[in-house]
Amino acid sequence: MFNNISEVKTALAGQQYIATDEIATVIFLAEKLGKPVLVEGPAGVGKTELGKAWAAMAQRELIRLQCYEGLDETKALYEWEYAKQMLYTQLLRDKLQDVLRDTHTLAQAADKLAAEEDVFFSTRFLLPRPLLRAILSEKPVALLIDEIDRADAEFEAFLLEVLSDFQISVPELGTLKAKHMPFVILTSNNTRELSEALKRRCLYLFVDYPTSESELRIVKLKVPDLAPQLAQQAVELVQRLRKLDLKKHPSVSETIDWARALVMLNSKSLDPKVLETTLSVLLKHEHDIQRAQRIVGEFNVRDEDDDEDRGASDVRRIRPARK
């Protein structure tokens, strides 16, 4: 679909996703090689958004599987619609009696009924979940397996057949192969180590927090109503907060939320009151907020400093205290 990496970057930018050269290269290679992509990185840096942007730029339906502890095949692959099977059994009761009329023993009746079981264990009664939907889709789709690290290791092992051969085994129906190979992207917040077998089947991509310049571009793109100078100040503060020893650092999505909040509040500058009342948009733990408030005070003092003295003094101020 794309002839070079630049076209991928341009297409992702068209979906309001600012991609680095590394991201664009991995996406380009994944499409050419037909390989899934495993994207790891801190929460909120745009891993899921990458999957959405990839699907949108390829004009494919996005099928999403949100992983969690305890996720099993019935929620990810398929379920038999037992209620529907029972309803059909009731409606076809007279017909079943006709089928079994010539039998004289239970064994004969069971054998006769077994010969008809394909009727009740067919795709007619199969309720496809995200993985099977992606496999059976009549059109090429993009499959997003989100936060695979939240799923159990057993489910991760189950995925290996899907990711290597793009097929699924259903005991009653046999092996179902993908009609079209889906784009597959898996995301992980790195809360646990994934297996080597899974990684071997994927191209690997690590997405970290963006640089100050990249994050400013993202904010300007996502929140165009925010004044440029205010956007610059907001990104600068977020970058400083990420250097602190916090329980949870502000994500890119939270930076965007904060920028939108500043627009909603019609803020003209990051004055002490605005910072104090909106820090909770960025930080979600009271301990982190208290710790960040020290930086907030220094941040405002810094705004009054001479430009010439800013660089070195700021670095000293934002350095986390030694434990």
Side-chain angles (χ1 to χ4, degrees), residues 33-273:
L33 300 174
K35 300 273 286 186
V37 177
L38 171 61
V39 188
E40 282 193 327
V45 293
K47 302 184 296 295
T48 301
E49 289 303 311
L50 175 60
K52 294 178 180 177
W54 189 8
M57 76 179 191
Q59 297 183 329
R60 293 190 175 200
E61 179 191 357
L62 178 68
I63 297 177
R64 179 174 178 173
L65 173 63
Q66 178 63 51
C67 297
Y68 54 86
E69 187 177 354
L71 177 66
D72 59 18
E73 297 178 22
T74 60
K75 296 294 185 295
L77 187 55
Y78 70 90
E79 283 184 280
W80 289 109
E81 291 190 271
Y82 294 115
K84 188 175 179 180
Q85 288 173 322
M86 289 295 294
L87 176 62
Y88 270 63
T89 302
Q90 293 295 321
L91 294 174
L92 298 175
R93 183 172 49 194
D94 293 340
K95 191 67 179 176
L96 287 172
Q97 288 177 349
D98 291 341
V99 171
L100 301 177
R101 180 162 297 144
D102 296 334
T103 60
H104 303 288
T105 65
L106 284 176
Q108 290 176 343
D111 290 342
K112 200 89 173 185
L113 201 56
E116 306 292 335
E117 67 182 10
D118 287 349
V119 173
F120 295 97
F121 288 98
S122 63
T123 54
R124 186 195 308 274
F125 299 102
L126 202 59
L127 184 62
R129 298 300 188 185
L131 291 181
L132 189 58
R133 283 182 55 209
I135 292 293
L136 298 180
S137 176
E138 297 292 339
K139 297 180 179 178
V141 299
L143 175 62
L144 172 61
I145 303 175
D146 214 8
E147 298 184 339
I148 180 62
D149 53 320
R150 290 183 180 274
D152 301 320
E154 291 77 9
F155 181 77
E156 185 185 322
F158 160 75
L159 277 180
L160 298 181
E161 180 186 10
V162 179
L163 298 179
S164 60
D165 300 325
F166 294 99
Q167 67 181 31
I168 289 173
S169 299
V170 180
E172 296 85 352
L173 301 177
T175 300
L176 303 176
K177 286 184 172 293
K179 296 179 179 178
H180 303 278
M181 187 178 296
F183 288 160
V184 182
I185 186 166
L186 302 95
T187 72
S188 167
N189 292 334
N190 233 347
T191 57
R192 70 172 177 85
E193 186 69 23
L194 300 176
S195 70
E196 293 299 324
L198 181 73
K199 291 182 176 179
R200 195 167 53 247
R201 287 163 171 78
C202 304
L203 297 182
Y204 181 78
L205 174 65
F206 184 82
V207 178
D208 205 350
Y209 293 116
T211 63
S212 180
E213 293 76 17
S214 295
E215 190 158 28
L216 183 57
R217 289 179 60 199
I218 294 170
V219 169
K220 288 182 175 178
L221 182 67
K222 298 286 187 180
V223 193
D225 294 335
L226 188 66
Q229 186 177 359
L230 191 53
Q232 175 77 45
Q233 290 179 334
V235 168
E236 185 180 346
L237 180 58
V238 169
Q239 293 277 331
R240 291 181 177 194
L241 292 176
R242 289 197 186 118
K243 294 177 182 177
L244 296 179
D245 184 19
L246 301 177
K247 188 172 182 179
K248 178 187 174 305
H249 292 113
S251 66
V252 178
S253 59
E254 286 162 333
T255 304
I256 295 170
D257 287 343
W258 190 40
R260 286 172 176 155
L262 294 175
V263 172
M264 292 296 106
L265 295 172
N266 199 27
S267 302
K268 303 300 181 186
S269 65
L270 294 184
D271 58 63
K273 184 178 180 182

